[in-house]
Amino acid sequence: MCGIVGYIGTKKACPILINGLLRLEYRGYDSAGISTIEDGYVSLMKNKGRVMNLYDLEGIDDLNGSIGIAHTRWATHGKPCKENSHPHMDNSNTFSVVHNGIIENYNELRDFLTKEGYSFRSQTDTEVIPNLIHYYINQDTQKDTMAFLRAVQKTCNAMQGSFAIEVISSLYPDNMIVVRKDSPLVIGKGKREFYICSDIPAILSFTRDFYLLNDYEYVLLSRDEAKFYDKELAPITKELKNIEWDASSADKDGFEDYMLKEIFEQPKSIRETIGAKLKSNEAIAFEDLSLSKDYLTSLHKIYIIACGTAMHAGLGTKALFEKFCHIPTEVDIASEFRYRDPLIDDKTLCIYISQSGETADTIAAVKLAKSKGAKTLAVSNVIGSSITREADYCIYTHAGPEIAVASTKAYTAQLVLLSLLALYMAEVLQENSNSEIENIKQELLLLPTKIEEILKNTKPVQDFAKKIYKESDMFFLGRGVDYAVALEGSLKLKEISYIHSEAYAAGELKHGPIALIENGVTVISMITNPDLAAKTISNIQEVITRGAKTMVVTNQELENKGFDFIYTIPKTHPMLSPVLSVVPLQLLSYYISKEKGLDVDKPRNLAKSVTVE
Ligand code: M6R
């Protein structure tokens, strides 16, 4: 989705802003633009297309201002074109604004402003913002910086929806105002300078000290200080937080693409996610989480709620909660959960998974559960993200910044963290014989080394990708947790290779989808649970008979019954197998996408963080 960058300091703003935008490219966008404060006026440079194209705009090299705002736009209101790109200015070209989010009542605001004599140059919702600020400042008898702040505050109070905005003005050439509601925005602090961004990796190379903003917190920035105000404009103090990620973790580090780098980072991210929570012969302990036996005993139900890959991580671990905690566990899609009036109360624990912590539907689902009295627990990869501030409890995956749109290392870190959570809860409940739990705990510690083994053997997957990359339909099959992995493998393939694919529980095949199997269709199956192996093998035979090409990912010693490609992964506890079996599927999608010459990291139509509904 859209990205925001801002700078106020002593250096030339333009290159810093463009550098920040380039680092946000992975989020997906269709146009880009910047505004800086120059001598006596606010510049505006924007266009449809790539960030680098900004350098082709006439006059961009002459921008010397040291205060500026910048934006990458992912179109919601109005097609991608220069006029609809951000920044947007008011009619008098005094205020310039970039905005992430959606203003739901923008039609009313536009009508109001039109009656007041304002006109509009774009079809966007955003353009009402600079004009409203201009309108309110004209109503104010004062013209100091507090008047500027009041005008922004009145504008925000008039807007419904979500927003993160940066405002600069030629009337206030030494200031910038920023504010957010339901859309991410953080402020990085340097020496006599501040960096503003919607996404931390954009400015990690400049600073690791950040102020994290809550909804309706206003910041009046000058080169020397950041003054914070609450919704009523009463001054507040904010704590500076140090973010552990280093700048190099947001670089490609010699890999051709972020996705490949992130696939190879999985052993590390799993080790770091396990961290000190799990030690041999000790009960699992979470540093920041303590759930009492009384509370866990009172639970009638667990919901795991998320979107996309994060939701698949829920499906891959649901069985652990049921088996070891003996609590019925349901996995739900956030965009469905939030609109279907689910049966939840204080005896329900709602667990939310979100890599970015900014997914609009998932955050709305947290708010819904809280309003019904349930406790909420967020699993996120981004410290201080919106979901971590909304939920009652929060635990973190330590995957480092995930830049590629297709999620890989965040998914396996989520699987591992949720497994740890399920076992932790089981140990608090003391429900089960400990021997199986102990076995899973030992196996968890071995996962990073086992992924390393898989990553030493990528060539066969690459060779198979070369054989099938021209196909237009593929199927993924599995039973139990293998079905959860089938869903994830299929999503990965769709996202980055644009090949149509479907995932089915292997037993469902005969109930319809088998009608689509014919010569040349590829069927990819996972077989990791010895108890279910024979059943899945029978299903594969049924597709081979009908002409399908087959790939089997397995940890069993299988006799090759006509499979085109068997890829063997190390053995682990059956309930942890998704962490390993997904890796060849990630690699397969990656290599197919490369064979097709596609942009692996920035697939069409997709955004890394889906901050609107
Ligand atoms: O940031 P989140 O984990 O909340 O994101 C959820 C989904 O949008 C995300 O997993 C999406 O499905 C990925 N592009 C999958 O690779």
Side-chain angles (χ1 to χ4, degrees), residues 491-564:
L491 177 64
K492 239 29 0 135
L493 186 75
K494 288 182 195 98
E495 277 186 294
I496 59 165
S497 76
Y498 314 150
I499 293 176
H500 168 251
S501 86
E502 307 261 1
Y504 279 98
E508 270 294 290
L509 199 69
K510 283 200 276 290
H511 299 278
I514 201 163
L516 295 170
I517 306 294
E518 57 182 351
N519 270 340
V521 170
T522 296
V523 178
I524 298 160
S525 310
M526 272 57 65
I527 304 177
T528 62
N529 184 338
D531 298 341
L532 302 171
K535 307 270 174 217
T536 308
I537 290 171
S538 301
N539 298 131
I540 303 174
Q541 292 309 318
E542 289 156 8
V543 301
I544 290 178
T545 312
R546 286 160 181 84
K549 249 191 240 119
T550 51
M551 168 177 174
V552 177
V553 176
T554 186
N555 54 15
Q556 308 293 299
E557 284 86 44
L558 295 185
E559 184 193 335
N560 190 339
K561 294 191 173 165
F563 313 134
D564 293 279

Side-chain angles (χ1 to χ4, degrees), residues 127-160:
E127 204 183 346
V128 298
I129 303 175
N131 284 309
L132 276 175
I133 296 172
H134 179 265
Y135 170 81
Y136 285 121
I137 211 130
N138 279 352
Q139 310 287 306
D140 206 311
T141 51
Q142 310 289 309
K143 293 289 173 264
D144 58 1
T145 48
M146 282 313 285
F148 184 17
L149 203 54
R150 277 194 296 277
V152 175
Q153 178 211 31
K154 285 180 183 153
T155 300
C156 292
N157 287 345
M159 297 192 295
Q160 286 158 17

Side-chain angles (χ1 to χ4, degrees), residues 289-342:
L289 181 71
S290 154
L291 299 173
S292 72
K293 183 172 180 181
D294 280 353
Y295 170 65
L296 291 176
T297 311
S298 76
L299 292 177
H300 289 175
K301 178 141 195 167
I302 296 173
Y303 269 108
I304 303 179
I305 301 140
C307 302
T309 287
M311 193 271 293
H312 294 160
L315 289 172
T317 46
K318 156 190 154 91
L320 280 161
F321 289 90
E322 296 207 318
K323 178 162 182 174
F324 296 111
C325 304
H326 290 180
I327 304 172
T329 303
E330 204 173 312
V331 179
D332 211 340
I333 297 166
S335 56
E336 291 294 315
F337 179 87
R338 65 180 287 195
Y339 289 119
R340 70 173 175 76
D341 198 13

Side-chain angles (χ1 to χ4, degrees), residues 428-477:
V428 174
L429 283 162
Q430 289 170 346
E431 282 264 352
N432 303 89
S433 82
N434 277 337
S435 65
E436 194 173 1
I437 293 183
E438 284 311 316
N439 172 250
I440 300 181
K441 284 163 66 176
Q442 293 315 314
E443 287 296 337
L444 272 163
L445 291 168
L446 298 175
L447 287 173
T449 316
K450 291 181 179 178
I451 295 186
E452 276 158 5
E453 259 177 64
I454 296 174
L455 293 173
K456 280 184 199 141
N457 188 27
T458 57
K459 177 86 173 35
V461 183
Q462 191 170 5
D463 291 344
F464 189 65
K466 285 190 178 133
K467 288 187 188 148
I468 61 170
Y469 75 95
K470 288 192 178 142
E471 287 182 8
S472 51
D473 285 296
M474 293 197 198
F475 286 81
F476 288 76
L477 303 181

Side-chain angles (χ1 to χ4, degrees), residues 2-4 21 29-35 43-51 53-54 57 69-90 95-100 120-128 130:
C2 309
I4 285 182
L21 290 185
Y29 71 103
D30 46 59
S31 48
I34 72 168
S35 258
S43 74
L44 180 64
M45 302 268 170
K46 56 186 188 175
N47 218 340
K48 189 180 160 186
R50 309 310 275 178
V51 171
N53 299 349
L54 289 174
L57 297 176
I69 58 179
H71 193 263
T72 46
R73 174 173 188 256
W74 190 86
T76 56
H77 293 69
K79 62 179 191 218
C81 63
K82 181 176 176 183
E83 292 66 38
N84 289 336
S85 314
H86 297 215
H88 288 281
M89 295 185 84
D90 68 304
F95 295 94
S96 187
V97 170
V98 293
H99 162 230
N100 280 1
F120 292 88
R121 303 158 180 158
S122 76
Q123 293 127 23
T124 65
D125 51 344
T126 301
E127 204 183 346
V128 298

Side-chain angles (χ1 to χ4, degrees), residues 307-310 353-357 359 405-407 414 491-492 495 610:
C307 302
T309 287
I353 314 168
S354 177
Q355 184 281 130
S356 63
T359 300
V405 165
S407 182
Q414 286 160 352
L491 177 64
K492 239 29 0 135
E495 277 186 294
V610 185

